[in-house]
Amino acid sequence: MTLDEFPRETPPTEPVVPRVDRPSASVQKVTRAEELRLQLADEIVRGALAPGAPLDETDIARRFSVSRTPVREALRQLVASGLVEARAHRGAVVAQPSIERLKSMFEAMAELEALCAGLAAERMSAAERHGLEAVHEELRVLSYTGNPDRFHEVNERFHNAIYAGSQNGYIAEITLATRVRVQPFRRAQFRNLGRLAKSQAEHDRVVVAIMRGDKQGAASAMRAHIELVRGEYEIYAVSV
C-alpha cells in the first residue's frame, strides 16, 4: 500500500509541540537570534570556527550588524545544544562533542523518535494524520528543488507533528530537547548529494506505517531513519 491509496482531506492546523529550544520573546527577536544560531552552528560544524575559539558578543554583533541582544540569545541556545561552552572568566568558546558523545546523542535520539512514531501510529487522530501527510507532501516537492535549508525547516515541522501525535507531552518535550542538541549535525547532512530524496523515502516508510496504525513498523522505520541520518552526517564531516 502506498500513500496515494489513503483518502485525503483538507489538512488541518498543524499540531503544536512546546518549543523548549526557543524563548517566548518577540517574534522578531527570536527570528534574528535563530538566524545567528544557525549561522554560527554551521560554521562550527564545518570547522570554520575551531574548537576552543572564543565567541565574543561584541565581535559577533559587529560582524552581523546586530545588537548584542540576539547574539546573547543565540549563544545561550548554542550552549544548550552543546556546541558552545560558557567558561568562567573566558566567556563563550566553541566546544566539539567527541565522536563517542555524538554517537551517544544520536543513539538516544533514535530511540526517542522511534518511541514517538510508535505511539503516533496508535494515537494520532484522523486530523493529525492528514496534517502529517500534508507536511510530508511539502517535503516531497522540496526534495526536487535542492534547497537544503528550506527542507530542514519543513523537516522540523514533520518531526514535530509526529512528536505531537504521540499524545504524550512529556515524551514530546524531551525528544525535542534532545533534537536541539543534535540539530546542527542533522542539518549539515542535508548538504550531501542526493540526501533530500533519500530522506524523503525514509520519511515515506514512517508515514505509511503510521497511517496503517503499525506501531512496531513506525518505530522501526523511524529508528532506521535516524541511524541513517547519523551515517550521512559522518559522510558530510569527512568531506568538509
Side-chain angles (χ1 to χ4, degrees):
M1 181 177 291
T2 66
L3 285 178
D4 291 334
E5 297 177 60
F6 290 97
R8 296 179 181 274
E9 296 177 8
T10 302
T13 302
E14 180 185 341
V16 176
V17 176
R19 292 308 305 261
V20 298
D21 60 330
R22 295 184 182 178
S24 58
S26 69
V27 173
Q28 183 178 2
K29 174 184 173 183
V30 170
T31 299
R32 191 59 183 129
E34 179 72 358
E35 290 174 353
L36 288 170
R37 183 182 73 84
L38 291 173
Q39 178 67 36
L40 293 170
D42 278 351
E43 293 180 4
I44 292 169
V45 171
R46 292 200 316 268
L49 289 172
L55 296 169
D56 182 78
E57 289 182 12
T58 302
D59 290 344
I60 295 172
R62 185 182 302 113
R63 175 187 170 194
F64 291 99
S65 301
V66 297
S67 71
R68 292 176 62 180
T69 300
V71 174
R72 189 175 298 114
E73 177 57 32
L75 291 177
R76 187 193 68 79
Q77 293 179 23
L78 288 167
V79 168
S81 74
L83 285 177
V84 168
E85 294 179 6
R87 297 180 179 176
H89 311 301
R90 289 187 57 188
V93 298
V94 176
Q96 177 64 44
S98 66
I99 296 299
E100 285 305 312
R101 175 68 171 173
L102 197 56
K103 179 179 178 181
S104 296
M105 290 162 65
F106 268 107
E107 186 174 53
M109 186 82 265
E111 293 305 318
L112 286 168
E113 294 234 17
L115 177 59
C116 285
L119 291 175
E122 284 190 326
R123 301 175 179 179
M124 258 189 166
S125 67
E128 287 174 323
R129 291 171 193 267
H130 289 306
L132 178 63
E133 281 190 289
V135 180
H136 183 50
E137 174 62 18
E138 189 174 351
L139 284 170
R140 185 189 67 78
V141 174
L142 287 170
S143 70
Y144 296 111
T145 68
N147 185 335
D149 291 333
R150 178 59 182 156
F151 192 93
H152 165 75
E153 292 173 8
V154 180
N155 181 67
E156 288 204 325
R157 288 168 47 206
F158 175 85
H159 286 272
N160 281 352
I162 293 174
Y163 303 166
S166 73
Q167 308 296 343
N168 186 311
Y170 181 70
I171 291 174
E173 184 178 347
I174 61 175
T175 304
L176 179 57
T178 303
R179 190 182 77 196
V180 170
R181 297 185 69 85
V182 299
Q183 184 192 55
F185 307 99
R186 292 178 68 156
R187 187 170 187 256
Q189 49 97 28
F190 286 131
R191 294 190 176 89
N192 288 352
L193 184 64
R195 179 56 192 155
L196 302 189
K198 292 178 184 177
S199 182
Q200 178 66 11
E202 293 157 21
H203 284 177
D204 199 67
R205 288 188 281 273
V206 174
V207 174
V208 168
I210 288 175
M211 295 302 165
R212 289 174 172 166
D214 180 359
K215 180 178 182 179
Q216 185 175 354
S220 296
M222 181 63 85
R223 185 180 295 108
H225 171 51
I226 301 302
E227 289 172 353
L228 287 168
V229 168
R230 186 186 77 184
E232 288 286 339
Y233 169 70
E234 291 173 352
I235 293 171
Y236 170 82
V238 170
S239 69
V240 296

